[in-house]
Amino acid sequence: VDGTVKLWATRDGRCVRTLAERIKAKIWCCAFDATGELLASGGAECAVRVWKVSDGTLLATFREHKGVVRAVAFNPSMPGMVASGEGNLTWGSDNSIRVWLFDPASTGSVDNHPSIIDSGLLDANAVPTECKAIVLAHSKMITSLAFPPDGSVLVSASRDCSVRIWGVGAPAAQGIAGQRGGAAS
């Protein structure tokens, strides 16, 4: 309730670290990268923040979402690739998935990873520098995002009762019929 992101020890329940910057809105989601060194958070401020876990430093903030960020995921095979999904129940969201690239070793710099830019999903000329893809495929809020260990695809789930699989470095997405009532993580 104090606007901070805290890391807690699971063995004894103590607060291990409070990340540096206060956030002025509810946080809805968070995810660690494969190394456990980075943490992404998203929420009602319509932004994704990437933190360095060891010292709580804020490395990057991505602010292009139109709605509440409901899901974040790191690609485990591509350091610096974060996907985020948004959605609101009643107002102002495009229910988009955005793919962000940054250099985890350098605060806020951007990586132009060739296999990502050359894929059918992404057009480096059509999106802002930090956001390498905007995917508009779901009609309702994104509820979950995940990459498998090899990072070859991004899976998105939505309240529109669908799950979609997106090729990373491949042009097409495959839809899988969802469950009644929406898909959730």
Side-chain angles (χ1 to χ4, degrees):
V1 185
D2 66 358
T4 61
V5 176
K6 297 180 186 286
L7 302 176
W8 299 88
T10 57
R11 291 183 190 243
D12 60 12
R14 66 184 172 80
C15 181
V16 176
R17 177 164 331 289
T18 299
L19 302 183
E21 189 173 318
R22 289 189 180 273
I23 298 171
K24 298 178 175 100
K26 289 181 183 177
I27 299 167
W28 284 94
C29 57
C30 60
F32 284 100
D33 75 336
T35 67
E37 295 174 7
L38 302 177
L39 177 76
S41 66
E45 68 174 348
C46 306
V48 175
R49 294 172 187 255
V50 178
W51 310 86
K52 185 175 178 184
V53 173
S54 63
D55 63 9
T57 303
L58 179 63
L59 297 178
T61 302
F62 307 117
R63 299 187 182 276
E64 294 175 25
H65 277 291
K66 295 178 182 175
V68 174
V69 177
R70 304 279 181 170
V72 292
F74 281 94
N75 186 324
S77 71
M78 235 173 249
M81 176 188 257
V82 179
S84 56
E86 70 174 68
N88 297 325
L89 292 173
T90 57
W91 54 271
S93 174
D94 60 8
N95 304 308
S96 66
I97 299 164
R98 294 176 189 256
V99 177
W100 312 91
L101 291 177
F102 71 101
D103 179 356
S106 173
T107 304
S109 70
V110 177
D111 176 20
N112 290 324
H113 196 287
S115 68
I116 298 303
I117 293 173
D118 294 339
S119 77
L121 250 183
L122 311 168
D123 178 354
N125 299 317
V127 294
T129 307
E130 294 178 331
C131 179
K132 294 299 179 187
I134 300 171
V135 181
L136 301 170
H138 290 285
S139 62
K140 293 187 179 175
M141 85 168 58
I142 309 303
T143 56
S144 185
L145 295 170
F147 289 97
D150 70 359
S152 62
V153 296
L154 170 64
V155 179
S156 60
S158 168
R159 286 187 64 133
D160 67 7
C161 301
S162 71
V163 172
R164 295 179 185 258
I165 301 171
W166 305 95
V168 174
Q174 300 172 13
I176 299 173
Q179 60 197 38
R180 285 201 176 297
S185 60

PDB file of all heavy atoms in Angstrom, residues 1-19:
ATOM      1  N   VAL A   1       0.829  -1.197   0.000  1.00  0.00           N
ATOM      2  CA  VAL A   1       0.000   0.000   0.000  1.00  0.00           C
ATOM      3  C   VAL A   1       0.869   1.256   0.000  1.00  0.00           C
ATOM      4  O   VAL A   1       0.380   2.340  -0.166  1.00  0.00           O
ATOM      5  CB  VAL A   1      -0.955  -0.020   1.207  1.00  0.00           C
ATOM      6  CG1 VAL A   1      -1.893   1.143   1.173  1.00  0.00           C
ATOM      7  CG2 VAL A   1      -1.728  -1.308   1.272  1.00  0.00           C
ATOM      8  N   ASP A   2       2.176   1.107   0.174  1.00  0.00           N
ATOM      9  CA  ASP A   2       3.039   2.286   0.228  1.00  0.00           C
ATOM     10  C   ASP A   2       3.645   2.652  -1.125  1.00  0.00           C
ATOM     11  O   ASP A   2       4.491   3.529  -1.209  1.00  0.00           O
ATOM     12  CB  ASP A   2       4.131   2.098   1.286  1.00  0.00           C
ATOM     13  CG  ASP A   2       5.115   0.991   0.940  1.00  0.00           C
ATOM     14  OD1 ASP A   2       4.945   0.334  -0.110  1.00  0.00           O
ATOM     15  OD2 ASP A   2       6.054   0.782   1.720  1.00  0.00           O
ATOM     16  N   GLY A   3       3.240   1.972  -2.203  1.00  0.00           N
ATOM     17  CA  GLY A   3       3.724   2.315  -3.537  1.00  0.00           C
ATOM     18  C   GLY A   3       5.099   1.771  -3.873  1.00  0.00           C
ATOM     19  O   GLY A   3       5.746   2.266  -4.791  1.00  0.00           O
ATOM     20  N   THR A   4       5.551   0.769  -3.134  1.00  0.00           N
ATOM     21  CA  THR A   4       6.863   0.196  -3.414  1.00  0.00           C
ATOM     22  C   THR A   4       6.723  -1.266  -3.843  1.00  0.00           C
ATOM     23  O   THR A   4       5.739  -1.927  -3.537  1.00  0.00           O
ATOM     24  CB  THR A   4       7.799   0.259  -2.181  1.00  0.00           C
ATOM     25  OG1 THR A   4       7.212  -0.495  -1.116  1.00  0.00           O
ATOM     26  CG2 THR A   4       8.036   1.689  -1.754  1.00  0.00           C
ATOM     27  N   VAL A   5       7.746  -1.745  -4.546  1.00  0.00           N
ATOM     28  CA  VAL A   5       7.857  -3.165  -4.871  1.00  0.00           C
ATOM     29  C   VAL A   5       8.829  -3.748  -3.860  1.00  0.00           C
ATOM     30  O   VAL A   5       9.936  -3.243  -3.689  1.00  0.00           O
ATOM     31  CB  VAL A   5       8.383  -3.367  -6.312  1.00  0.00           C
ATOM     32  CG1 VAL A   5       8.591  -4.846  -6.595  1.00  0.00           C
ATOM     33  CG2 VAL A   5       7.434  -2.745  -7.324  1.00  0.00           C
ATOM     34  N   LYS A   6       8.395  -4.807  -3.184  1.00  0.00           N
ATOM     35  CA  LYS A   6       9.224  -5.427  -2.153  1.00  0.00           C
ATOM     36  C   LYS A   6       9.496  -6.875  -2.513  1.00  0.00           C
ATOM     37  O   LYS A   6       8.645  -7.553  -3.070  1.00  0.00           O
ATOM     38  CB  LYS A   6       8.525  -5.359  -0.797  1.00  0.00           C
ATOM     39  CG  LYS A   6       8.302  -3.945  -0.291  1.00  0.00           C
ATOM     40  CD  LYS A   6       7.599  -3.961   1.057  1.00  0.00           C
ATOM     41  CE  LYS A   6       7.226  -2.579   1.524  1.00  0.00           C
ATOM     42  NZ  LYS A   6       8.302  -1.776   1.985  1.00  0.00           N
ATOM     43  N   LEU A   7      10.690  -7.349  -2.168  1.00  0.00           N
ATOM     44  CA  LEU A   7      11.067  -8.742  -2.328  1.00  0.00           C
ATOM     45  C   LEU A   7      11.075  -9.376  -0.936  1.00  0.00           C
ATOM     46  O   LEU A   7      11.665  -8.822  -0.009  1.00  0.00           O
ATOM     47  CB  LEU A   7      12.446  -8.861  -2.968  1.00  0.00           C
ATOM     48  CG  LEU A   7      12.596  -8.183  -4.332  1.00  0.00           C
ATOM     49  CD1 LEU A   7      14.027  -8.277  -4.817  1.00  0.00           C
ATOM     50  CD2 LEU A   7      11.654  -8.806  -5.336  1.00  0.00           C
ATOM     51  N   TRP A   8      10.405 -10.528  -0.823  1.00  0.00           N
ATOM     52  CA  TRP A   8      10.234 -11.184   0.462  1.00  0.00           C
ATOM     53  C   TRP A   8      10.920 -12.546   0.470  1.00  0.00           C
ATOM     54  O   TRP A   8      10.864 -13.283  -0.506  1.00  0.00           O
ATOM     55  CB  TRP A   8       8.747 -11.385   0.759  1.00  0.00           C
ATOM     56  CG  TRP A   8       8.004 -10.091   0.831  1.00  0.00           C
ATOM     57  CD1 TRP A   8       7.419  -9.425  -0.219  1.00  0.00           C
ATOM     58  CD2 TRP A   8       7.790  -9.290   1.973  1.00  0.00           C
ATOM     59  NE1 TRP A   8       6.851  -8.262   0.224  1.00  0.00           N
ATOM     60  CE2 TRP A   8       7.052  -8.146   1.568  1.00  0.00           C
ATOM     61  CE3 TRP A   8       8.134  -9.412   3.314  1.00  0.00           C
ATOM     62  CZ2 TRP A   8       6.666  -7.152   2.447  1.00  0.00           C
ATOM     63  CZ3 TRP A   8       7.740  -8.409   4.196  1.00  0.00           C
ATOM     64  CH2 TRP A   8       7.015  -7.299   3.760  1.00  0.00           C
ATOM     65  N   ALA A   9      11.521 -12.906   1.587  1.00  0.00           N
ATOM     66  CA  ALA A   9      12.109 -14.234   1.776  1.00  0.00           C
ATOM     67  C   ALA A   9      10.980 -15.217   2.048  1.00  0.00           C
ATOM     68  O   ALA A   9      10.141 -14.969   2.916  1.00  0.00           O
ATOM     69  CB  ALA A   9      13.093 -14.217   2.943  1.00  0.00           C
ATOM     70  N   THR A  10      10.950 -16.318   1.309  1.00  0.00           N
ATOM     71  CA  THR A  10       9.874 -17.285   1.491  1.00  0.00           C
ATOM     72  C   THR A  10      10.058 -18.145   2.740  1.00  0.00           C
ATOM     73  O   THR A  10       9.089 -18.651   3.287  1.00  0.00           O
ATOM     74  CB  THR A  10       9.744 -18.204   0.257  1.00  0.00           C
ATOM     75  OG1 THR A  10      10.995 -18.841   0.027  1.00  0.00           O
ATOM     76  CG2 THR A  10       9.329 -17.416  -0.960  1.00  0.00           C
ATOM     77  N   ARG A  11      11.284 -18.286   3.203  1.00  0.00           N
ATOM     78  CA  ARG A  11      11.534 -19.133   4.391  1.00  0.00           C
ATOM     79  C   ARG A  11      11.063 -18.489   5.687  1.00  0.00           C
ATOM     80  O   ARG A  11      10.497 -19.146   6.537  1.00  0.00           O
ATOM     81  CB  ARG A  11      13.009 -19.471   4.496  1.00  0.00           C
ATOM     82  CG  ARG A  11      13.441 -20.396   3.396  1.00  0.00           C
ATOM     83  CD  ARG A  11      14.902 -20.765   3.568  1.00  0.00           C
ATOM     84  NE  ARG A  11      15.335 -21.452   2.379  1.00  0.00           N
ATOM     85  CZ  ARG A  11      15.751 -22.694   2.373  1.00  0.00           C
ATOM     86  NH1 ARG A  11      15.818 -23.367   3.476  1.00  0.00           N
ATOM     87  NH2 ARG A  11      16.123 -23.246   1.241  1.00  0.00           N
ATOM     88  N   ASP A  12      11.322 -17.193   5.844  1.00  0.00           N
ATOM     89  CA  ASP A  12      10.978 -16.569   7.124  1.00  0.00           C
ATOM     90  C   ASP A  12      10.046 -15.367   6.989  1.00  0.00           C
ATOM     91  O   ASP A  12       9.695 -14.749   7.982  1.00  0.00           O
ATOM     92  CB  ASP A  12      12.245 -16.178   7.885  1.00  0.00           C
ATOM     93  CG  ASP A  12      13.123 -15.192   7.125  1.00  0.00           C
ATOM     94  OD1 ASP A  12      12.681 -14.624   6.113  1.00  0.00           O
ATOM     95  OD2 ASP A  12      14.277 -14.995   7.556  1.00  0.00           O
ATOM     96  N   GLY A  13       9.652 -15.021   5.760  1.00  0.00           N
ATOM     97  CA  GLY A  13       8.676 -13.942   5.564  1.00  0.00           C
ATOM     98  C   GLY A  13       9.199 -12.537   5.780  1.00  0.00           C
ATOM     99  O   GLY A  13       8.419 -11.586   5.872  1.00  0.00           O
ATOM    100  N   ARG A  14      10.501 -12.368   5.826  1.00  0.00           N
ATOM    101  CA  ARG A  14      11.038 -11.012   6.038  1.00  0.00           C
ATOM    102  C   ARG A  14      11.245 -10.309   4.699  1.00  0.00           C
ATOM    103  O   ARG A  14      11.461 -10.937   3.660  1.00  0.00           O
ATOM    104  CB  ARG A  14      12.337 -11.051   6.838  1.00  0.00           C
ATOM    105  CG  ARG A  14      13.480 -11.701   6.146  1.00  0.00           C
ATOM    106  CD  ARG A  14      14.740 -11.793   7.028  1.00  0.00           C
ATOM    107  NE  ARG A  14      15.715 -12.598   6.366  1.00  0.00           N
ATOM    108  CZ  ARG A  14      16.519 -12.158   5.386  1.00  0.00           C
ATOM    109  NH1 ARG A  14      16.458 -10.913   5.003  1.00  0.00           N
ATOM    110  NH2 ARG A  14      17.377 -12.975   4.802  1.00  0.00           N
ATOM    111  N   CYS A  15      11.195  -8.992   4.721  1.00  0.00           N
ATOM    112  CA  CYS A  15      11.433  -8.181   3.529  1.00  0.00           C
ATOM    113  C   CYS A  15      12.942  -8.153   3.269  1.00  0.00           C
ATOM    114  O   CYS A  15      13.720  -7.720   4.118  1.00  0.00           O
ATOM    115  CB  CYS A  15      10.904  -6.768   3.723  1.00  0.00           C
ATOM    116  SG  CYS A  15      11.127  -5.719   2.274  1.00  0.00           S
ATOM    117  N   VAL A  16      13.340  -8.623   2.092  1.00  0.00           N
ATOM    118  CA  VAL A  16      14.749  -8.696   1.723  1.00  0.00           C
ATOM    119  C   VAL A  16      15.213  -7.384   1.098  1.00  0.00           C
ATOM    120  O   VAL A  16      16.311  -6.918   1.334  1.00  0.00           O
ATOM    121  CB  VAL A  16      14.992  -9.863   0.735  1.00  0.00           C
ATOM    122  CG1 VAL A  16      16.424  -9.901   0.255  1.00  0.00           C
ATOM    123  CG2 VAL A  16      14.592 -11.168   1.361  1.00  0.00           C
ATOM    124  N   ARG A  17      14.354  -6.787   0.273  1.00  0.00           N
ATOM    125  CA  ARG A  17      14.731  -5.567  -0.430  1.00  0.00           C
ATOM    126  C   ARG A  17      13.475  -4.799  -0.838  1.00  0.00           C
ATOM    127  O   ARG A  17      12.485  -5.393  -1.217  1.00  0.00           O
ATOM    128  CB  ARG A  17      15.546  -5.894  -1.675  1.00  0.00           C
ATOM    129  CG  ARG A  17      15.914  -4.680  -2.504  1.00  0.00           C
ATOM    130  CD  ARG A  17      17.006  -4.856  -3.509  1.00  0.00           C
ATOM    131  NE  ARG A  17      18.041  -5.824  -3.273  1.00  0.00           N
ATOM    132  CZ  ARG A  17      19.019  -5.745  -2.354  1.00  0.00           C
ATOM    133  NH1 ARG A  17      19.073  -4.735  -1.552  1.00  0.00           N
ATOM    134  NH2 ARG A  17      19.931  -6.689  -2.267  1.00  0.00           N
ATOM    135  N   THR A  18      13.572  -3.477  -0.784  1.00  0.00           N
ATOM    136  CA  THR A  18      12.546  -2.607  -1.345  1.00  0.00           C
ATOM    137  C   THR A  18      13.173  -1.944  -2.559  1.00  0.00           C
ATOM    138  O   THR A  18      14.246  -1.350  -2.462  1.00  0.00           O
ATOM    139  CB  THR A  18      12.100  -1.540  -0.316  1.00  0.00           C
ATOM    140  OG1 THR A  18      11.559  -2.213   0.818  1.00  0.00           O
ATOM    141  CG2 THR A  18      11.061  -0.611  -0.914  1.00  0.00           C
ATOM    142  N   LEU A  19      12.522  -2.096  -3.714  1.00  0.00           N
ATOM    143  CA  LEU A  19      13.078  -1.524  -4.938  1.00  0.00           C
ATOM    144  C   LEU A  19      12.953  -0.007  -4.896  1.00  0.00           C
ATOM    145  O   LEU A  19      12.044   0.549  -4.292  1.00  0.00           O
ATOM    146  CB  LEU A  19      12.398  -2.128  -6.158  1.00  0.00           C
ATOM    147  CG  LEU A  19      12.524  -3.663  -6.235  1.00  0.00           C
ATOM    148  CD1 LEU A  19      11.886  -4.191  -7.498  1.00  0.00           C
ATOM    149  CD2 LEU A  19      13.976  -4.105  -6.155  1.00  0.00           C
TER     150      LEU A  19
END
